[in-house]
Amino acid sequence: MTVRRVPVVLMRGGARRAAFFHAHDLPNAPRARDAVLVRAMGGSDAAGERIDGLGPGQDGVARMVVVSRSQRPGCDIDFMCGTLAAGAATIDWGGPCGALAAAVGPFAIAERLFAGAEGPTRVRLQHVPDGTRIDAYVPVSAGEVSEQGTFVEDGVPFASAEVRLEWIEPSDAPFPTGRPRDVLELPDGLAIESTLVAVDEPMAFVRADALGLSGRESAADIDRNRRLLERVEALRLQAAVRMGLADSAQAALRVRAPMPALCWIARPAAYRGTAGAEVAAESVDLLARCVIGGRLQVAPGGAGSLALAVAAAVPGTVVAEVARTLPGVPTRIGHPSGSRAAGAEVSSRIGADGRPRWRVERCLLSHGARRLLTGEVHVPEGG
Amino acid sequence: MTVRRVPVVLMRGGARRAAFFHAHDLPNAPRARDAVLVRAMGGSDAAGERIDGLGPGQDGVARMVVVSRSQRPGCDIDFMCGTLAAGAATIDWGGPCGALAAAVGPFAIAERLFAGAEGPTRVRLQHVPDGTRIDAYVPVSAGEVSEQGTFVEDGVPFASAEVRLEWIEPSDAPFPTGRPRDVLELPDGLAIESTLVAVDEPMAFVRADALGLSGRESAADIDRNRRLLERVEALRLQAAVRMGLADSAQAALRVRAPMPALCWIARPAAYRGTAGAEVAAESVDLLARCVIGGRLQVAPGGAGSLALAVAAAVPGTVVAEVARTLPGVPTRIGHPSGSRAAGAEVSSRIGADGRPRWRVERCLLSHGARRLLTGEVHVPEGG
């Protein structure tokens, strides 16, 4: 039995960590490739500890990214992101990459798959499983990726350089109902105006004041407010049906991932963030509080932020009503633990029925990224 | 700001994983050295995720081992093991290394700190914080560490080569009470014969039949048996006082680590292991079931196994009464998830009071070890 040494770079993208590989260092055939990767992570360990390999993160999920030069015209780099869940024997390549996409450009430049220019270097990425196009703008100095900087984001205790991601034509149907505004109904019959958006993941937005809220709430305010959480859940289930995610509220309850997330939004106002720092009203364009699985999230995820930015850019949505978004400028979203910026460019044309058809031309989101370790993973062959 | 690249080897020792470093790749001063290591792991992250570094294992603890050539006569290699607990800002170098000690010899040979001979190569190790001497026997072939083999152990889904560890004179007072046998008392007044041992960590042994048990119990049998767990806890608290770990049972309750563990032991018998496989009576020399913190352990740890081996080697202990241990041969301990072997050589002399004084000359325990990744960790300097 021999040990195969496979070059690997452990990278952080946003608040995620993954093992990055060159496709050319792995077998071509997907089954053989995945066998090497699973063994590198510690094998198809039923107990989930994966102690004889690189192992999972604290959430029990091992993450891998495979990168190569792209053959697609207008693209520089292909990538795909795999997850090996606790107890799973196979890698799931179908899920979203999330913040890890921000580390692909820096990997490509550092590993000489792409030549870095001086300043922000554009790397044109293709997410292979679904063909999603993302342009990454990677800060480069003297041909090397600049990792140090002043960009801060939730869940990452150190500042780093900013990698700007620009999704190209991410959606030509951001509103699954075809409308920028839908009316939902609370159990007591009260009508609630909402905007239902699906850019990456489905999201439902309502105004905070429609629920008697301010948008300045903290997790402590919400997590024990049973009545509110019940109302939010009722809205969420209705939204799921409207968005075509389930045939009925009953069916929506059975969907494993609690989609859509429901967020209430409000005009900018000052509040105290989770870590104790004051968030000034002038520093945000919008307040958002999102509930997933019955809990207030510390911050909307990447998909939620993009959906907010899209809704803020479309006149007539409940988000545009309260957001102080300026055309062409990312929306600064004030969330429980701080703020983050996300941008969207939208366009519309008039459909055959005389109603506008919206289309998302670009979405913008930034993350930090950093090489944590470069080396070779030792993979025993034949088990 | 620059990035310091520090050579690192991720290694498995037994069912533990740690980042191994050469002392000469780190600053000499302990404070500066620890600052580099903490940052390499992801910083003193209050949230415990340590996402901007190598991060912790699934138990939330990041582990590091620092290795160098030894200056101590009769020693080849010095090592120390550090843990960075969830939320901790500083590294604890004082705890036991456990199974990670098995990876030190292979690291030393693979990294050319020590020349491997052909066959099992003895590497004389010193655990620096307490001066513990361990001889590691590392399988070597053509000058390289042999990592592949047939040795199996709990918590590790793959077989590997066996690294035999031999502790040199680990204890000259294995019985804290000075006696190989002490009488404890149950709340109902029933007297229970026990053996109280402290080799690495304190352990209390009683016979299974004294508690109306068989020694073949599984976690499912025990974890809901409230009355039994109460009796076990009462014995444990008494043992803690006898062993000088606490002034009173009340004080023993307040000790953070629930020491000693209490194990009941029995003559060999067949039983079904946790994973479903039958453990034959002929394959074990002793049955042991250990409770720590109110739960039956899947297997005694390294320290518990060594304590069992010591007690089995001393006539008059409750363990020697039931164990089928042969002189000079490791004791095969049958535990809930399978079996493991541990050995001990003891000697005695007669003290001034005419009673024997026991001394542990050697302890033996084997683990597998493997290099998982070789590379360089990227450590931003100045934060």
Side-chain angles (χ1 to χ4, degrees):
Chain A
M1 225 185 281
T2 56
V3 172
R4 177 188 188 125
R5 293 185 178 214
V6 184
V8 66
V9 181
L10 297 188
M11 296 200 73
R12 173 177 74 77
R16 283 273 165 83
R17 183 169 40 214
F20 279 61
F21 296 91
H22 290 272
H24 63 64
D25 288 326
L26 295 166
N28 267 324
R31 183 190 290 260
R33 175 199 65 205
D34 285 10
V36 169
L37 291 174
V38 168
R39 186 63 187 88
M41 292 297 144
S44 52
D45 184 352
E49 283 278 350
R50 297 203 155 90
I51 201 70
D52 200 47
L54 301 185
Q58 280 215 270
D59 58 357
V61 179
R63 294 183 168 82
M64 294 135 280
V65 180
V66 176
V67 182
S68 60
R69 288 201 179 87
S70 183
Q71 303 303 319
R72 177 173 158 183
C75 281
D76 304 310
I77 296 293
D78 281 353
F79 73 106
M80 52 196 276
C81 303
T83 54
L84 187 58
T90 56
I91 301 171
D92 177 6
W93 295 104
C97 278
L100 287 173
V104 175
F107 175 87
I109 295 173
E111 294 286 310
R112 310 299 183 219
L113 291 175
F114 188 79
E118 194 62 23
T121 295
R122 184 182 69 168
V123 189
R124 297 170 301 175
L125 310 177
Q126 175 184 214
H127 180 236
V128 174
D130 59 9
T132 300
R133 278 275 295 108
I134 304 175
D135 282 352
Y137 291 84
V138 181
V140 171
S141 170
E144 300 293 336
V145 176
S146 303
E147 294 182 331
Q148 313 284 322
T150 58
F151 180 76
V152 291
E153 63 192 308
D154 287 308
V156 184
F158 299 96
S160 63
E162 176 179 359
V163 177
R164 195 155 56 88
L165 297 179
E166 210 173 298
W167 278 258
I168 313 295
E169 300 176 7
S171 170
D172 54 7
F175 304 113
T177 62
R179 292 176 297 269
R181 190 181 279 246
D182 285 87
V183 179
L184 304 177
E185 202 172 282
L186 281 175
D188 56 14
L190 191 65
I192 304 278
E193 301 269 344
S194 73
T195 292
L196 309 178
V197 183
V199 179
D200 192 359
E201 291 167 15
M203 306 289 296
F205 302 115
V206 300
R207 288 180 58 139
D209 49 17
L211 295 173
L213 297 168
S214 70
R216 301 163 68 239
E217 290 78 13
S218 68
D221 296 331
I222 298 305
D223 287 348
R224 289 183 184 167
N225 189 338
R226 205 145 181 185
R227 176 152 179 278
L228 172 67
L229 288 172
E230 279 171 14
R231 287 154 67 94
V232 162
E233 179 68 0
L235 292 176
R236 189 184 75 73
L237 294 176
Q238 259 183 76
V241 177
R242 295 285 181 86
M243 298 173 90
L245 300 170
D247 290 335
S248 67
Q250 273 308 104
L253 260 181
R254 288 193 301 267
V255 174
R256 202 158 140 267
M259 289 291 157
L262 190 129
C263 310
W264 57 93
I265 42 108
R267 293 187 197 284
Y271 61 95
R272 198 164 290 284
T274 319
E278 184 85 6
V279 177
E282 305 78 58
S283 70
V284 295
D285 300 317
L286 171 73
L287 301 183
R289 297 295 184 267
C290 297
V291 168
I292 301 182
R295 296 187 69 89
L296 188 73
Q297 299 301 293
V298 291
S305 302
L306 293 180
L308 273 166
V310 166
V314 174
T317 68
V318 297
V319 179
E321 226 170 55
V322 300
R324 192 163 50 184
T325 300
L326 299 173
V329 178
T331 300
R332 297 167 301 168
I333 302 161
H335 55 69
S337 65
S339 72
R340 82 184 301 178
E345 278 173 40
V346 297
S347 66
S348 68
R349 58 179 180 81
I350 301 302
D353 56 3
R355 285 166 49 198
R357 295 276 182 282
W358 293 96
R359 177 186 167 87
V360 184
E361 302 291 344
R362 273 165 200 256
C363 280
L364 293 173
L365 201 61
S366 289
H367 288 292
R370 186 168 93 75
R371 284 185 297 170
L372 305 171
L373 180 149
T374 45
E376 293 178 326
V377 58
H378 295 222
V379 187
E381 295 200 289
Chain B
M1 225 185 282
T2 56
V3 172
R4 177 188 189 125
R5 293 185 177 213
V6 184
V8 66
V9 182
L10 297 188
M11 295 201 73
R12 173 177 73 78
R16 283 273 165 84
R17 183 169 40 214
F20 279 62
F21 297 91
H22 290 272
H24 63 64
D25 288 327
L26 296 166
N28 267 324
R31 183 190 290 260
R33 175 199 66 205
D34 285 9
V36 169
L37 290 174
V38 168
R39 186 63 187 88
M41 292 297 143
S44 51
D45 184 352
E49 284 277 352
R50 297 204 155 90
I51 201 70
D52 199 46
L54 301 185
Q58 280 214 271
D59 59 356
V61 179
R63 294 183 169 82
M64 294 136 279
V65 180
V66 176
V67 182
S68 60
R69 288 202 179 87
S70 183
Q71 303 303 319
R72 176 173 158 183
C75 281
D76 304 310
I77 296 293
D78 282 353
F79 73 106
M80 51 196 277
C81 303
T83 53
L84 187 57
T90 56
I91 301 172
D92 177 6
W93 295 103
C97 277
L100 287 172
V104 175
F107 174 87
I109 294 173
E111 294 286 310
R112 310 301 183 216
L113 292 175
F114 188 78
E118 194 62 22
T121 294
R122 184 182 70 168
V123 189
R124 297 170 301 175
L125 310 177
Q126 175 183 215
H127 180 236
V128 175
D130 59 10
T132 300
R133 278 275 295 108
I134 304 175
D135 282 352
Y137 291 84
V138 181
V140 171
S141 169
E144 299 293 336
V145 177
S146 303
E147 294 182 331
Q148 314 284 321
T150 57
F151 180 76
V152 292
E153 63 192 307
D154 288 307
V156 184
F158 299 96
S160 63
E162 176 179 358
V163 177
R164 195 155 56 87
L165 297 179
E166 210 173 298
W167 278 258
I168 313 295
E169 300 176 7
S171 170
D172 54 7
F175 304 113
T177 62
R179 292 176 298 270
R181 190 181 279 247
D182 285 87
V183 179
L184 304 177
E185 202 173 283
L186 282 175
D188 57 14
L190 191 65
I192 304 278
E193 301 269 344
S194 73
T195 293
L196 309 178
V197 183
V199 178
D200 192 359
E201 291 167 15
M203 306 288 296
F205 302 115
V206 300
R207 287 180 58 140
D209 50 16
L211 294 173
L213 298 168
S214 69
R216 301 163 67 239
E217 290 79 12
S218 69
D221 296 331
I222 297 305
D223 287 348
R224 289 183 184 168
N225 189 337
R226 205 142 180 187
R227 176 153 179 276
L228 171 67
L229 288 172
E230 278 170 14
R231 287 154 68 93
V232 162
E233 179 68 359
L235 292 177
R236 189 184 76 71
L237 294 175
Q238 260 183 75
V241 177
R242 295 284 182 87
M243 298 173 89
L245 301 170
D247 290 335
S248 66
Q250 273 310 102
L253 260 180
R254 289 193 300 267
V255 174
R256 201 158 140 268
M259 288 292 157
L262 190 129
C263 310
W264 57 92
I265 42 108
R267 293 186 197 285
Y271 61 95
R272 198 163 291 284
T274 319
E278 183 86 5
V279 177
E282 305 79 59
S283 70
V284 295
D285 300 316
L286 171 73
L287 301 183
R289 297 295 183 268
C290 297
V291 168
I292 301 183
R295 296 187 69 89
L296 188 73
Q297 300 300 294
V298 291
S305 302
L306 293 180
L308 273 166
V310 166
V314 174
T317 68
V318 297
V319 180
E321 226 169 55
V322 300
R324 193 163 50 184
T325 300
L326 298 173
V329 178
T331 299
R332 297 166 302 168
I333 303 161
H335 55 70
S337 65
S339 72
R340 83 184 300 179
E345 278 173 42
V346 297
S347 67
S348 68
R349 59 179 180 81
I350 301 302
D353 56 2
R355 284 166 49 198
R357 295 275 182 284
W358 293 96
R359 177 185 167 88
V360 184
E361 302 291 344
R362 274 166 198 255
C363 279
L364 293 173
L365 202 62
S366 289
H367 289 292
R370 187 168 92 75
R371 283 185 297 169
L372 305 171
L373 180 149
T374 45
E376 293 178 325
V377 58
H378 296 221
V379 187
E381 295 200 288

